Amino acid sequence: MDYDIAIIGLGPAGATLARLLKPGLKVLALDKKQQCGEEGFQKPCGGLLATDAQRSFVRFGVNLPTSVLADPQIFSVKTYDLQTRLIRNYQRTYVNINRHRFDLWLKTLIPASVDIRHDSLCRKITRRDDGLYHLRFTDSGTEQEAVVKYVVGADGANSMLRRMLYPDHEIRKYLSIQQWFVDKHPVPFYSCIFDNAVTDCYAWSMSKDGYFILGGAFAMKNGNQQFETLKTRLEPYSFTFGDVVKTEKCIVLCPSKMTDFRCGKDNVFLIGEAAGFISASSLEGISYAFDSAEILSKILNAEHAFPHRAYQKGTLKLRLKLFGKIVKAAILTSPLLRGLIMRSKISHVDMTTQK
């Protein structure tokens, strides 16, 4: 056995687990991103840290460096309902970040005892007759192999390990599309957009470092067309789009039932979005990546006799919380219920304009 644990993916979930595992464990960590810089793989993401993610930093005793922050920091979300033409403003305490720099910074917190392979890709995982796992992966273009006891899937929505463990399980997926433009709006803002004519999920926009980002989660089959339709439908609301600087796309999971949350089996564990731990109402996953990684780290550090049973039990509150987000999503994506909430003006903050 070459390693005790192999972690596939070093996003917020994988990097946090690698950081929290005790030094006595032999850990291999594979990550598609390069060690530094703007080249190579980057995770498409709006880049907002929700309050639950911020709370994790408090528990970890970790401070966020200014190098990962984006400009500006905005304290409200303008919510648009294109069915009713209602617009409301809600206070939010998101932290605006550069997601790629944030991910690279999380990797710098991993101790030197972890064997990190940057710019690497897991190609194949095979379970041997003795219960250990044989990994084939590329490391900067070179083929490598390793034998490990435990494998942890922190490889996101399109998780190789989730597909391997549960080939017949179907979970709701959306095509997430983001386009970046030079920001021409006189006042930077965040927005949350509901438009059941183009998606039964939601869309978003934000200002970031001089750019304006418009994104949304759309049906897999016609997502590109629906995204262009959304841009047209937003023009009457003073949304300004110029030339496209770049377009980003990725698959995003959206759980719809308790059985969509899969913790793993047979000495393979799933954390973060690979486990389905993502909010159905906001598609926020960083806080759940932190939480699931923390729970699993305690179990593996304790060398628990029945780690899968312990992980299943340890994530129960997390899964129940996420089920509540499924219920919330059903309410917010219903035009009738959403309209009633927005008309009530609950939590709405009136905007005053100073002359």
Side-chain angles (χ1 to χ4, degrees):
M1 184 173 59
D2 299 320
Y3 298 92
D4 298 303
I5 302 166
I7 303 171
I8 313 301
L10 288 179
T16 300
L17 178 64
R19 177 174 59 83
L20 295 177
L21 289 173
K22 64 183 182 182
L25 294 170
K26 294 179 65 177
V27 181
L28 171 68
L30 307 180
D31 189 45
K32 290 193 293 184
K33 297 183 294 297
Q34 296 184 8
Q35 186 171 3
C36 58
E38 299 297 322
E39 300 298 323
F41 173 78
Q42 297 189 28
K43 168 73 174 181
C45 175
L48 296 177
L49 282 182
T51 53
D52 283 347
Q54 297 168 39
R55 194 173 295 113
S56 295
F57 286 119
V58 177
R59 293 199 311 273
F60 298 153
V62 174
N63 296 318
L64 197 67
T66 57
S67 60
V68 307
L69 298 180
D71 183 57
Q73 299 298 323
I74 302 173
F75 303 105
S76 67
V77 172
K78 186 176 290 187
T79 301
Y80 295 83
D81 185 336
L82 301 195
Q83 267 65 53
T84 61
R85 297 183 176 273
L86 291 172
I87 303 173
R88 296 290 184 261
N89 296 289
Y90 300 103
Q91 181 182 357
R92 293 293 183 270
T93 54
Y94 298 129
V95 175
N96 196 2
I97 61 170
N98 179 300
R99 175 59 193 269
H100 185 58
R101 292 201 300 263
F102 177 74
D103 283 353
L104 294 182
W105 168 70
L106 287 175
K107 288 170 66 172
T108 68
L109 304 180
I110 300 173
S113 58
V114 177
D115 183 1
I116 304 176
R117 307 297 180 94
H118 307 281
D119 194 20
S120 65
L121 188 64
C122 186
R123 295 292 186 184
K124 188 176 181 179
I125 301 175
T126 308
R127 193 181 191 199
R128 307 193 321 181
D129 293 338
D130 59 4
L132 301 179
Y133 283 90
H134 180 245
L135 273 64
R136 292 184 181 272
F137 60 95
T138 57
D139 181 6
S140 299
T142 303
E143 295 290 333
Q144 302 283 343
E145 299 181 6
V147 177
V148 303
K149 181 179 181 180
Y150 297 124
V151 184
V152 180
D155 46 346
N158 200 28
S159 170
M160 172 186 182
L161 285 159
R162 185 184 178 100
R163 297 195 309 270
M164 181 185 80
L165 293 178
Y166 309 106
D168 299 323
H169 178 70
E170 292 293 332
I171 183 172
R172 182 171 55 182
K173 299 182 180 72
Y174 288 99
L175 177 63
S176 175
I177 304 175
Q178 281 193 161
Q179 284 188 339
W180 293 57
F181 311 86
V182 174
D183 197 351
K184 298 180 180 179
H185 299 92
V187 179
F189 67 100
Y190 299 154
S191 77
C192 175
I193 304 154
F194 294 100
D195 185 358
N196 290 74
V198 296
T199 179
D200 61 355
C201 194
Y202 85 107
W204 57 85
S205 77
M206 66 194 70
S207 298
K208 190 184 297 285
D209 289 334
Y211 294 97
F212 183 71
I213 304 172
L214 176 70
F218 304 91
M220 298 291 291
K221 290 184 178 180
N222 60 348
N224 294 303
Q225 177 184 344
Q226 296 296 64
F227 179 73
E228 293 300 323
T229 300
L230 175 66
K231 288 165 64 177
T232 301
R233 290 170 62 85
L234 286 174
E235 289 176 357
Y237 295 88
S238 300
F239 280 71
T240 302
F241 309 109
D243 295 333
V244 177
V245 175
K246 64 177 177 178
T247 300
E248 301 172 321
K249 300 178 184 179
C250 69
I251 294 172
V252 62
L253 302 185
C254 188
S256 58
K257 52 188 180 300
M258 277 292 285
T259 55
D260 283 340
F261 307 125
R262 299 295 175 108
C263 295
K265 59 183 179 180
D266 300 330
N267 287 348
V268 176
F269 301 87
L270 301 178
I271 58 176
E273 195 174 357
F277 295 157
I278 183 171
S279 169
S281 62
S282 66
L283 303 183
E284 190 274 324
I286 294 178
S287 63
Y288 306 106
F290 288 157
D291 290 345
S292 56
E294 183 181 8
I295 293 168
L296 182 59
S297 71
K298 294 176 180 178
I299 294 166
L300 295 178
N301 286 341
E303 300 184 41
H304 202 285
F306 302 99
H308 280 288
R309 186 185 303 171
Y311 184 53
Q312 189 79 17
K313 181 179 179 180
T315 57
L316 178 59
K317 288 184 179 179
L318 183 63
R319 288 180 281 124
L320 289 173
K321 179 180 179 179
L322 283 163
F323 182 76
K325 300 296 184 180
I326 294 173
V327 175
K328 181 179 178 180
I331 295 172
L332 293 178
T333 55
S334 164
L336 174 61
L337 297 177
R338 184 175 66 243
L340 289 173
I341 294 171
M342 294 183 70
R343 285 190 178 92
S344 73
K345 294 189 176 183
I346 295 174
S347 300
H348 167 65
V349 180
D350 287 321
M351 302 287 286
T352 58
T353 303
Q354 294 183 347
K355 297 183 179 180

